[in-house]
């Protein structure tokens, strides 16, 4: 490869990066750093909740921790994690040399650290006692955010705008790449499922991020320019905020899980040594879930006093999503059925994903039932539900994807013993952390409270132990990554890496060359 087309040296390689693998790696490292940061904030929450009574922090600081933990995990860890995997894998999977718009790619990454630095500065200032970080929950409901939010709310609004710009630019890039740079012969219905799930996710992002931008802009004008969109005293309506927020927020939930379906659909056939069962039905199921995600937003609002007909409509629509989701789970199980299964680390995480995500799905079905939701609303049952979906769902799938493709990126195999230790520790502690939350939630323990009744004390002690254990377990992953990426440890791997792996990415050398495919492969 000519020097002109090789990577630059030093810091310039990363600042001016236009190569999809460089940018993908930066996204993944950024996501991991944010994951550890958001996790550290969660440890403060769990330390406070380990025993009843106020032990370590005051309620206002506790609220700041719950808010910033949620924002960092959703926008800083999970979403950039999936974008990183898309950057690394989509061009390799479709036989392209790079993403279609490489300079846009550079911009969409570098906006993120600036966006999150605003949020992190607010947290640091809060630690130092200078001023408060956002303290109104990650849903930033009005009037908590518009009327009572601290001064840092304005930085938070600016930060959300920048995150949205970054997401939309990234989504445009994914769509243009998939439509224009596919290898000859690769029709849409021959694309790997990970590419399909990302194509649909990119359209979702373009559809809903402007809605979020609209919501925070209305917040800003309510705060400083005398409007009353969400203020009943001026003719506005706080419930309008919830409608606008959740019209963004519910598709956002699927933005954080659809790419996970693609990752698991790549891993399970490899280690079951069988083709994916029902490929076409998986594509249609993904599209159906994306469509339905736009008509269920009010299931977050069963307690605000919607008309009965509205509640019934959103209840049935929400339950309907279980059908295409069930198709997916059925197909993964059918793929494993009578397969020649082996249990390498990516497969372990993928199987854990299928089981734990299904548990999260079932508790979601319970929450979809309107009269039942009246009881569960804003309790720890809800916390248990969405953490099963987002931690043992989205986060486990990202980790599975990293373990699956890491040898292809680096050309070396990681320490398998440590990786298995990471898996088992994560699996045990994630369940110890989130499963008991179902019980305290059903018993009525409200979320976002810094103190609780004595009857919840035993469960909360175990939940906190699970939280600390899960957090420490992730340091094993950090060590594995440092070992292979920086210390260059590990045995060299073949191009194929995994015996049953199929797809264009496995035809490339390991590690993949700087420009993935300089000659487009022909797909038959």
């Amino acid at each position: 490869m000519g020097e002109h087309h090789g990577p630059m040296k030093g810091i310039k390689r990363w600042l001016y990066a236009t190569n999809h693998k460089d940018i993908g790696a930066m996204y993944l490292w950024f996501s991991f750093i944010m994951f550890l940061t958001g996790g550290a904030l969660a440890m403060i929450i769990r330390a406070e909740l380990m025993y009843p009574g106020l032990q370590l922090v005051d309620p206002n600081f506790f609220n700041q921790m719950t808010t910033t933990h949620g924002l960092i995990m959703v926008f800083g860890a999970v979403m950039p994690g999936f974008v990183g995997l898309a950057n690394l894998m989509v061009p390799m999977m479709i036989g392209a040399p790079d993403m279609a718009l490489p300079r846009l790619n550079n911009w969409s990454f570098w906006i993120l650290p600036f966006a999150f630095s605003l949020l992190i500065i607010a947290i640091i200032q809060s630690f130092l006692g200078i001023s408060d970080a956002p303290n109104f929950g990650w849903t930033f409901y009005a009037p908590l955010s518009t009327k009572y939010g601290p001064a840092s709310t304005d930085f938070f609004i600016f930060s959300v705008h920048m995150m949205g710009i970054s997401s939309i630019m990234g989504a445009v890039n994914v769509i243009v790449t998939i439509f224009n740079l596919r290898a000859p012969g690769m029709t849409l219905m021959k694309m790997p499922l990970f590419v399909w799930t990302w194509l649909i996710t990119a359209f979702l992002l373009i559809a809903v991020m402007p809605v979020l931008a609209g919501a925070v802009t209305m917040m800003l004008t309510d705060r400083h320019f005398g409007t009353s969109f969400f203020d009943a005293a001026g003719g506005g309506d706080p419930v309008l905020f919830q409608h606008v927020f959740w019209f963004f927020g519910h598709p956002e939930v699927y933005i954080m899980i659809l790419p996970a379906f693609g990752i698991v659909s790549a891993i399970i056939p490899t280690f079951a040594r069988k083709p994916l069962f029902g490929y076409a039905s998986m594509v249609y199921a993904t599209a159906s879930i994306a469509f339905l995600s736009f008509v269920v937003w009010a299931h977050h609002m069963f307690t605000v006093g919607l008309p009965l007909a509205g509640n019934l409509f959103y209840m049935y629509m929400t339950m309907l999503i279980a059908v295409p989701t069930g198709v997916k789970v059925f197909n993964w199980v059918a793929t494993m059925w009578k397969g020649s299964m082996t249990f390498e680390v990516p497969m372990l995480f993928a199987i854990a994903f299928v089981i734990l995500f299904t548990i999260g799905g079932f508790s979601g079905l319970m929450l979809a039932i309107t009269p039942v939701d009246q009881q569960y609303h804003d309790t720890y049952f809800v916390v248990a539900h969405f953490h099963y979906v987002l931690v043992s769902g989205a986060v486990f799938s990202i980790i599975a994807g990293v373990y699956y493709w890491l040898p292809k990126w680096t050309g070396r195999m990681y320490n398998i013993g440590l990786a298995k230790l990471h898996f088992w520790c994560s699996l045990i502690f994630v369940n110890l952390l989130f499963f008991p939350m179902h019980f305290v939630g059903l018993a009525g323990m409200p979320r976002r409270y810094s103190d609780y009744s004595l009857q919840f004390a035993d469960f909360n002690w175990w939940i906190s132990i699970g939280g600390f254990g899960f957090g420490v377990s992730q340091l094993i992953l950090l060590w594995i990554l440092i070992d292979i990426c920086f210390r260059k440890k590990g045995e060299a791997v073949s191009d194929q890496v995994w015996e049953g792996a199929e797809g264009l990415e496995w035809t490339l050398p390991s590690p993949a060359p700087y420009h993935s495919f300089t000659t487009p492969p022909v797909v038959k």
Side-chain angles (χ1 to χ4, degrees), residues 90-320:
V90 167
M92 284 198 245
M93 285 179 156
I94 62 171
D98 208 311
M99 296 294 279
L101 307 167
R103 290 189 194 283
L104 191 78
N105 213 7
N106 177 290
W107 268 102
S108 51
F109 171 75
W110 278 112
I111 286 174
L112 273 187
F114 288 102
F116 279 90
S117 60
L118 294 175
L119 207 53
I120 302 282
I121 288 170
I123 298 169
I124 293 171
Q125 286 188 328
S126 176
F127 272 102
L128 297 175
I130 299 170
S131 62
D132 288 348
N135 57 2
F136 28 69
W138 86 274
T139 47
F140 46 97
Y141 280 170
L144 293 175
S145 54
T146 50
K147 211 165 192 174
Y148 305 108
S152 62
T153 308
D154 300 326
F155 288 104
F156 156 78
I157 291 170
F158 186 45
S159 169
V160 168
H161 271 298
M162 290 171 79
M163 292 171 208
I165 292 168
S166 164
S167 295
I168 289 174
M169 293 199 310
V172 168
N173 209 354
V174 167
I175 292 170
V176 176
T177 304
I178 294 172
F179 280 136
N180 289 300
L181 296 185
R182 292 197 311 280
M186 180 173 277
T187 60
L188 286 177
M189 290 308 281
K190 283 184 183 170
M191 291 195 308
L193 210 73
F194 179 68
V195 181
W196 255 116
T197 53
W198 243 108
L199 180 64
I200 292 167
T201 303
F203 278 110
L204 276 182
L205 275 166
I206 290 177
V208 300
M209 291 316 274
V211 179
L212 177 65
V216 292
T217 306
M218 286 194 277
M219 266 175 63
L220 188 71
T221 58
D222 267 14
R223 281 173 61 84
H224 297 297
F225 301 104
T227 59
S228 302
F229 291 111
F230 309 126
D231 184 0
D237 185 358
V239 177
L240 170 67
F241 180 88
Q242 295 196 29
H243 279 294
V244 178
F245 178 83
W246 285 115
F247 189 77
F248 145 80
H250 203 79
E252 166 70 15
V253 171
Y254 290 95
I255 286 167
M256 290 191 288
I257 204 66
L258 290 185
F261 296 162
I263 295 167
V264 172
S265 300
I267 293 172
I268 288 179
T270 298
F271 299 104
R273 292 166 181 78
K274 278 174 65 187
L276 182 67
F277 182 87
Y279 169 87
S281 64
M282 290 293 246
V283 173
Y284 298 133
T286 309
S288 310
I289 292 169
F291 173 75
L292 287 172
S293 72
F294 283 105
V295 286
V296 296
W297 78 87
H299 71 208
H300 297 270
M301 302 163 56
F302 284 149
T303 56
V304 301
L306 295 178
L308 178 63
N311 276 343
L312 283 174
F313 172 80
Y314 289 110
M315 178 173 88
Y316 289 127
M317 284 295 111
T318 306
M319 289 179 163
L320 202 56

Side-chain angles (χ1 to χ4, degrees), residues 25-104:
M26 288 198 293
Y27 263 115
L28 283 179
W29 275 110
F30 177 80
S31 157
F32 194 45
I33 292 166
M34 286 293 113
F35 179 58
L36 296 179
T37 308
L41 302 183
M43 293 304 96
I44 296 171
I45 297 168
R46 285 317 320 171
E48 175 55 49
L49 292 176
M50 197 160 183
Y51 300 101
L54 293 178
Q55 323 285 333
L56 302 168
V57 297
D58 64 70
N60 181 36
F61 189 81
F62 183 88
N63 286 343
Q64 294 170 41
M65 292 301 102
T66 55
T67 305
T68 46
H69 161 72
L71 290 168
I72 286 175
M73 286 302 197
V74 169
F75 295 107
V78 175
M79 287 175 71
F82 283 130
V83 178
L85 289 174
N87 260 289
L88 276 155
M89 297 316 302
V90 167
M92 284 198 245
M93 285 179 156
I94 62 171
D98 208 311
M99 296 294 279
L101 307 167
R103 290 189 194 283
L104 191 78

Side-chain angles (χ1 to χ4, degrees), residues 266-267 269-274 404 496-503 506:
I267 293 172
T270 298
F271 299 104
R273 292 166 181 78
K274 278 174 65 187
Y404 184 53
Q496 178 76 11
V497 183
W498 310 109
E499 182 194 333
E502 289 186 6
W506 306 107

